[in-house]
């Protein structure tokens, strides 16, 4: 019954909802008025039956079981979605590349750790909802948005585009950027997904290699010796001018 000495049906309902939230709960009341039952329904019960209407008990049980199955399925789907989001978040936050998502107005809706640090933020919340114009110097922001706008409005993906950027300390770096349209379930563009990789050290290493190659080439070219380089197959792959002069021909002829 709804009213008992020192304890009543509403207290029982609240305990059941707290400790057994997935259990079907049916209110069975002897009250002539349905107000109490409706109150219990609003509190979280699945259905109610008045004690003078036993015919309602069967349908009420079926209804409560169906609601329970629906609730269990929904809770399971929510739990799976939460696990997937946690997995994705763990993945992107531990990548060295900057990863972000923008809406059509250029506001960031997702930002991984590398990205919000590169934006000068102390937490992700410092950059969410902000545009490049809020986070970068005007000249950089203008360049970034020009490319992003083309991706969003013209459906033109930007793949491996080299551009300037900033690191977590605010230093200017070289970034290899990719931006692709983000679409909804109907295929409509609703923003973009961006990925950026700091290639500053790679470019510096390549520059050192190029300088070394140029230096070696200068030494070989100006050497007083005739220098020839061959493959194991006997094919000449390099000859300097002195080598060609010694055999009385042209460098191009030796390397042909």
């Amino acid at each position: 019954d709804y009213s008992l000495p020192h304890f009543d049906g509403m207290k029982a309902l609240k305990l059941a909802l707290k400790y057994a939230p997935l259990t079907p709960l049916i209110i069975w009341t002897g009250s002539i008025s349905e107000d109490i039952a409706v109150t219990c329904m609003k509190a979280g019960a699945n259905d109610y039956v008045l004690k003078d209407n036993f015919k309602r008990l069967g349908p009420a049980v079926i209804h409560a079981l169906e609601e329970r199955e629906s609730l269990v399925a929904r809770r399971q789907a929510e739990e799976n979605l939460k696990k997937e989001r946690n997995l994705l978040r763990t993945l992107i936050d531990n990548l060295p590349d900057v990863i972000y998502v923008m809406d059509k107005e250029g506001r960031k809706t997702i930002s991984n750790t590398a990205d919000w640090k590169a934006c000068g933020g102390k937490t992700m919340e410092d950059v969410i909802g902000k545009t490049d114009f809020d986070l970068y110097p005007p000249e950089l922001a203008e360049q970034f948005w020009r490319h992003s706008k083309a991706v969003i409005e013209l459906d033109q993906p930007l793949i491996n585009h080299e551009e300037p950027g900033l690191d977590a300390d605010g230093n200017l770096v070289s970034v290899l950027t990719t931006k692709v349209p983000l679409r909804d379930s109907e295929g409509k563009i609703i923003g973009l997904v961006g990925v950026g990789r700091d290639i500053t050290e790679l470019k510096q290493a390549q520059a050192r290699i190029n300088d070394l190659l140029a230096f070696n080439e200068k030494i070989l070219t100006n050497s007083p010796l005739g220098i020839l380089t061959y493959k194991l197959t006997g094919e000449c792959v390099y000859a300097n001018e002195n080598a060609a002069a010694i055999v009385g021909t042209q460098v191009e002829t030796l390397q042909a």
Side-chain angles (χ1 to χ4, degrees), residues 18-34:
K18 180 178 180 179
Y19 294 106
L22 299 182
T23 300
L25 300 171
I26 301 173
I27 302 303
W28 190 19
T29 177
S31 173
I32 298 176
S33 171
E34 296 186 16

Side-chain angles (χ1 to χ4, degrees), residues 25-119:
L25 300 171
I26 301 173
I27 302 303
W28 190 19
T29 177
S31 173
I32 298 176
S33 171
E34 296 186 16
D35 292 343
I36 293 176
V38 171
T39 300
C40 292
M41 290 282 290
K42 290 181 179 180
N46 297 102
D47 209 336
Y48 70 92
V49 176
L50 301 181
K51 286 186 177 179
D52 61 350
N53 188 2
F54 288 101
K55 292 181 179 180
R56 275 273 301 140
L57 186 58
V61 171
I62 294 174
H63 176 247
L65 288 172
E66 289 175 344
E67 283 203 342
R68 177 191 180 279
E69 291 178 358
S70 177
L71 179 60
V72 170
R74 187 166 65 252
R75 292 279 181 89
Q76 186 62 51
E78 291 173 351
E79 184 64 25
N80 291 339
L81 182 59
K82 183 179 179 181
K83 289 180 180 178
E84 291 177 1
R85 286 176 174 171
N86 288 338
L87 177 61
L88 179 60
R89 191 76 230 183
T90 301
L91 175 63
I92 67 173
D93 277 339
N94 286 278
L95 289 175
D97 297 344
V98 301
I99 301 174
Y100 53 89
V101 176
M102 289 181 173
D103 62 18
K104 294 183 68 174
E105 284 70 42
R107 296 184 294 259
K108 289 196 174 183
T109 57
I110 294 178
S111 174
N112 76 336
T113 302
D115 180 61
W116 57 255
K117 284 185 176 181
C119 293

Side-chain angles (χ1 to χ4, degrees), residues 1-254:
D1 194 78
Y2 182 78
S3 296
L4 296 171
H6 311 297
F7 201 81
D8 59 36
M10 182 57 76
K11 290 182 180 179
L13 175 61
K14 289 179 179 180
L15 287 173
L17 289 170
K18 180 178 180 179
Y19 294 106
L22 299 182
T23 300
L25 300 171
I26 301 173
I27 302 303
W28 190 19
T29 177
S31 173
I32 298 176
S33 171
E34 296 186 16
D35 292 343
I36 293 176
V38 171
T39 300
C40 292
M41 290 282 290
K42 290 181 179 180
N46 297 102
D47 209 336
Y48 70 92
V49 176
L50 301 181
K51 286 186 177 179
D52 61 350
N53 188 2
F54 288 101
K55 292 181 179 180
R56 275 273 301 140
L57 186 58
V61 171
I62 294 174
H63 176 247
L65 288 172
E66 289 175 344
E67 283 203 342
R68 177 191 180 279
E69 291 178 358
S70 177
L71 179 60
V72 170
R74 187 166 65 252
R75 292 279 181 89
Q76 186 62 51
E78 291 173 351
E79 184 64 25
N80 291 339
L81 182 59
K82 183 179 179 181
K83 289 180 180 178
E84 291 177 1
R85 286 176 174 171
N86 288 338
L87 177 61
L88 179 60
R89 191 76 230 183
T90 301
L91 175 63
I92 67 173
D93 277 339
N94 286 278
L95 289 175
D97 297 344
V98 301
I99 301 174
Y100 53 89
V101 176
M102 289 181 173
D103 62 18
K104 294 183 68 174
E105 284 70 42
R107 296 184 294 259
K108 289 196 174 183
T109 57
I110 294 178
S111 174
N112 76 336
T113 302
D115 180 61
W116 57 255
K117 284 185 176 181
C119 293
K122 298 184 183 300
T123 66
M124 182 179 67
E125 286 69 26
D126 291 335
V127 304
I128 295 300
K130 295 182 179 180
T131 70
D132 289 333
F133 293 95
D134 300 316
L135 303 169
Y136 294 103
E139 62 276 8
L140 283 181
E142 181 64 37
Q143 179 178 337
F144 294 162
W145 177 238
R146 183 171 65 253
H147 295 148
S148 297
K149 194 174 181 180
V151 173
I152 295 171
E153 296 184 358
L154 303 179
D155 194 4
Q156 294 179 350
L158 186 72
I159 307 297
N160 290 336
H161 171 74
E162 186 178 333
E163 62 185 6
L166 299 176
D167 64 12
D169 297 320
N171 301 313
L172 194 64
V173 295
S174 295
V175 179
L176 198 64
T177 296
T178 292
K179 298 180 180 181
V180 295
L182 176 65
R183 305 176 188 274
D184 62 15
S185 58
E186 298 178 353
K188 182 180 178 181
I189 296 178
I190 58 174
L192 66 78
V193 177
V195 179
R197 173 167 296 180
D198 186 342
I199 58 171
T200 306
E201 291 186 1
L202 178 62
K203 289 195 64 176
Q204 291 173 346
Q206 187 61 53
R208 289 193 292 270
I209 291 173
N210 291 339
D211 289 343
L212 181 60
L213 291 175
F215 180 70
N216 289 341
E217 178 68 22
K218 187 175 182 179
I219 292 176
L220 293 174
T221 300
N222 293 282
S223 172
L225 302 175
I227 301 175
L228 297 168
T229 303
Y230 290 89
K231 289 183 178 180
L232 291 177
T233 57
E235 178 185 356
C236 178
V237 293
Y238 177 81
N240 67 354
E241 293 289 346
N242 281 339
I246 290 172
V247 298
T249 186
Q250 301 294 319
V251 171
E252 293 77 8
T253 302
L254 290 173

